[in-house]
Amino acid sequence: TWTKNNVYLLQGTVFVDSLVTLTIEAGTVVRGDANTVISALVIQRGAKIIANGTECNPIVFTSSKAAGSRVKGDWGGLIIEGRALNNLGTEVPIEGIGATNPRARHGGSIPNDNSGSLTYSRIEYAGFVIAPNNEMNGLTMGSVGSNTTIHHIQVSFGLDDAYEWFGGSVNCTH
């Protein structure tokens, strides 16, 4: 559990392993280290994120730089990998991490897979271009299932796409 009375620094790519649930309290600030190579938070298949901010107390994912010094692409972003269907198979590499990393896979045959809940959260200054058609986005979702809750997410000041879906059946709103 990450609590709002701490600020968390992602140094490099941080993976939440399968069968683990990462809970982030409303009002928590998570910073991607702008001084390391591609800081990102990756929720692996079978893992869950429970990050439910509120309208007045959102969860903020941002750059480690001071306000006024932050720029697009300071860190990678948030990636959620699920076990729902897509049109490429069950062992699909997620964009932005690399085809050789076995922890960076999405896909399956469970349309109602549950990767947790992400609500009232702000993702800013994220995005990273590794190569053409191989980028991290503010929020990247690969094969995320319909029992996952995602709503009221703001992605701003990103280097690449705000949101990108690779298959899945999640119903995001707001």
Side-chain angles (χ1 to χ4, degrees):
T1 298
W2 293 356
T3 60
K4 67 181 177 184
N5 48 334
N6 291 311
V7 175
Y8 296 88
L9 181 64
L10 304 172
Q11 293 181 297
T13 304
V14 175
F15 291 91
V16 176
D17 292 330
S18 181
L19 304 179
V20 172
T21 298
L22 171 62
T23 302
I24 304 175
E25 287 184 353
T28 300
V29 175
V30 180
R31 299 186 186 277
D33 189 351
N35 299 312
T36 55
V37 178
I38 314 176
S39 294
L41 179 60
V42 180
I43 310 304
Q44 289 183 244
R45 286 186 293 187
K48 289 184 181 176
I49 183 169
I50 306 297
N52 295 318
T54 67
E55 187 174 340
C56 296
N57 207 12
I59 296 167
V60 179
F61 298 88
T62 192
S63 166
S64 64
K65 290 182 182 174
S69 299
R70 299 172 183 150
V71 295
K72 297 176 178 184
D74 273 351
W75 69 290
L78 174 59
I79 298 171
I80 303 175
E81 304 169 331
R83 296 182 286 196
L85 302 166
N86 66 72
N87 65 344
L88 296 175
T90 60
E91 289 293 324
V92 182
I94 194 74
E95 219 179 72
I97 296 186
T100 60
N101 190 328
R103 299 174 87 186
R105 299 280 185 272
H106 68 94
S109 60
I110 307 169
N112 63 344
D113 188 41
N114 185 348
S115 296
S117 180
L118 179 67
T119 65
Y120 290 99
S121 295
R122 189 170 73 231
I123 303 168
E124 51 188 35
Y125 303 101
F128 193 88
V129 177
I130 294 169
N133 297 315
N134 188 11
E135 313 93 5
M136 285 186 183
N137 310 282
L139 176 58
T140 304
M141 294 164 280
S143 303
V144 176
S146 63
N147 278 344
T148 305
T149 301
I150 299 178
H151 64 79
H152 290 91
I153 307 303
Q154 176 185 354
V155 180
S156 54
F157 310 109
L159 183 64
D160 196 54
D161 300 321
Y163 310 90
E164 192 160 11
W165 287 262
F166 297 97
S169 53
V170 65
N171 184 19
C172 301
T173 63
H174 299 88

